[in-house]
Amino acid sequence: RVLITGSLGQLGQGLAKLLRQKYGRDNVIMSDIIKPPKHILDSGPYIFADVLEFKNLQEIVVNYDIDWIIHFSALLSAVGEMDVPLAIKVNIQGVHNIMELAKQYRLRVFCPSTIGAFGPDSPRNPTPDVTIQRPRTIYGVSKVHAELLGEYYYYKFGVDIRSLRFPGVLSADTHAGGGTTDYAVQVFDDAMTTGKFNCYLEPNTMLPMIYVDDCLRALVEIMETPNETLKLRTYNVAAISFTPEQLFEEVRKHVPKLEVEYNPDGRQSIADSWPQVFDDSGARNDWGWSHHYDLEKMVQVMFELKRKILKL
Ligand code: VAH
């Protein structure tokens, strides 16, 4: 069985749906620390799981016969900067508990990393799998820590940990919580409701991005890859890179009158320290990663889904 921690974030819902199609509704347990909306309860098993409570996690692993943990619980880049002590607890202490749990019960673990695990000293275009990592956010520091701790547990205790560095994720039915790339999600709602968008990044801020279906397929693919195939425990994956102005040009093919104002805020300095283009050739060569959604297709499907969700 699979346990998804932090499953009410941007990726958990879509992943649960995908894994339940493959492994059965009752073999994928969504979890978080808040009460879920009704449609989540109706979609399959959902339980309370606090990654800071080791005993709570042990009980879940035993009572639900868990084999895999997908560990999404974390404070993302921007929100982490607003509460560093909480980010250190959740993103670092939380991952200590998950690693210990995986060692104790021989679990396979997926722990997402991010473009945010790189910093201004890393090569930015392109950024390879293995290079300097000196991130300037507590989110990035905690994700480098998770990568290194995961490798340690793999080589020292044989814990089967896998990780992908995700770029900004575009999804239509969920919102990220406090990320720096979230402008690329929010613009669709604003374009369809007010026709106006206030962008907190400069127009030419290039960032690697991926559509949520590609992102979740990459996660399932690496989790299903035989361990001996993997040369790294952490791989970059991306689809494409784009700037706000390139995204808005594509959005205007659907909402021609979109008006954009650029008012950069604190997230600009975070974005300026991140990769502009990911080199994900390692994933493509080692386990056959390939993206299906380019910018045009991403924007197309986002509008199709948004029209359904917003009933416009
Ligand atoms: C964030 N969307 O902006 C997340 C992600 C690639 C960035 O980690 O913090």
Side-chain angles (χ1 to χ4, degrees):
R1 280 213 180 87
V2 183
L3 173 70
I4 306 174
T5 69
S7 70
L8 294 182
Q10 182 182 16
L11 301 179
Q13 207 172 303
L15 180 65
K17 209 157 111 200
L18 189 59
L19 288 174
R20 283 168 175 163
Q21 282 160 2
K22 288 178 82 101
Y23 298 118
R25 183 183 180 281
D26 295 335
N27 290 326
V28 181
I29 322 278
M30 290 178 74
S31 77
D32 214 308
I33 53 172
I34 53 177
K35 276 169 70 73
K38 189 161 173 351
H39 73 273
I40 294 282
L41 281 176
D42 296 342
S43 70
Y46 177 96
I47 60 171
F48 174 89
D50 181 347
V51 295
L52 297 180
E53 297 299 331
F54 190 68
K55 293 219 72 54
N56 169 225
L57 295 173
Q58 287 179 301
E59 266 180 83
I60 292 168
V61 168
V62 172
N63 294 347
Y64 289 89
D65 185 21
I66 300 297
D67 310 291
W68 286 6
I69 292 190
I70 313 290
H71 181 49
F72 282 152
S73 299
L75 276 73
L76 296 186
S77 56
V79 72
E81 293 307 289
M82 293 186 281
D83 190 341
V84 174
L86 183 61
I88 289 176
K89 270 172 76 177
V90 174
N91 295 17
I92 295 180
Q93 180 56 48
V95 93
H96 291 173
N97 287 339
I98 294 295
M99 295 297 174
E100 261 312 297
L101 205 67
K103 172 172 169 264
Q104 201 171 336
Y105 296 101
R106 311 310 301 162
L107 308 176
R108 181 173 297 184
V109 176
F110 178 85
C111 184
S113 189
T114 163
I115 52 173
F118 296 100
D121 308 329
S122 315
R124 299 184 70 202
N125 185 350
T127 305
D129 284 315
V130 183
T131 186
I132 300 164
Q133 290 179 265
R134 286 285 187 280
R136 294 282 171 77
T137 61
I138 185 58
Y139 170 69
V141 167
S142 70
K143 287 297 185 180
V144 173
H145 169 73
E147 289 181 21
L148 296 177
L149 194 70
E151 274 195 27
Y152 173 76
Y153 268 76
Y154 175 73
Y155 288 107
K156 177 88 177 177
F157 305 114
V159 172
D160 186 352
I161 165 94
R162 295 140 193 246
S163 178
L164 294 177
R165 297 193 191 100
F166 290 142
V169 178
L170 276 78
S171 54
D173 55 352
T174 55
H175 284 78
T180 297
T181 60
D182 302 346
Y183 84 89
V185 177
Q186 190 57 43
V187 63
F188 290 90
D189 290 278
D190 295 5
M192 294 184 78
T193 50
T194 65
K196 290 182 174 48
F197 184 61
N198 175 37
C199 186
Y200 56 71
L201 294 181
E202 297 284 358
N204 60 350
T205 308
M206 168 84 65
L207 287 166
M209 297 279 186
I210 194 168
Y211 181 60
V212 63
D213 288 10
D214 272 347
C215 171
L216 298 177
R217 178 171 51 80
L219 192 161
V220 174
E221 283 175 5
I222 194 168
M223 283 301 273
E224 293 178 339
T225 297
N227 194 46
E228 51 281 359
T229 310
L230 301 177
K231 296 191 178 67
L232 300 171
R233 304 323 296 174
T234 303
Y235 285 91
N236 296 342
V237 284
I240 48 161
S241 288
F242 55 70
T243 63
E245 65 190 353
Q246 288 168 331
L247 175 60
F248 304 150
E249 197 182 316
E250 198 61 36
V251 166
R252 284 196 179 95
K253 292 180 184 171
H254 302 260
V255 180
K257 292 197 176 53
L258 175 71
E259 287 170 35
V260 177
E261 251 193 65
Y262 292 98
N263 297 299
D265 67 13
R267 286 167 282 192
Q268 184 64 46
S269 59
I270 295 176
D272 289 342
S273 71
W274 282 1
Q276 291 171 314
V277 175
F278 244 1
D279 172 357
D280 59 0
S281 54
R284 293 172 191 266
N285 298 334
D286 293 1
W287 47 274
W289 160 244
S290 72
H291 70 282
H292 298 166
Y293 289 81
D294 59 11
L295 179 57
E296 187 179 3
K297 201 170 162 203
M298 224 183 265
V299 171
Q300 179 82 35
V301 73
M302 285 287 283
F303 273 111
E304 278 163 19
L305 289 172
K306 278 291 176 195
R307 266 191 282 280
K308 284 197 194 110
I309 295 164
L310 300 173
K311 298 187 176 51
L312 293 176

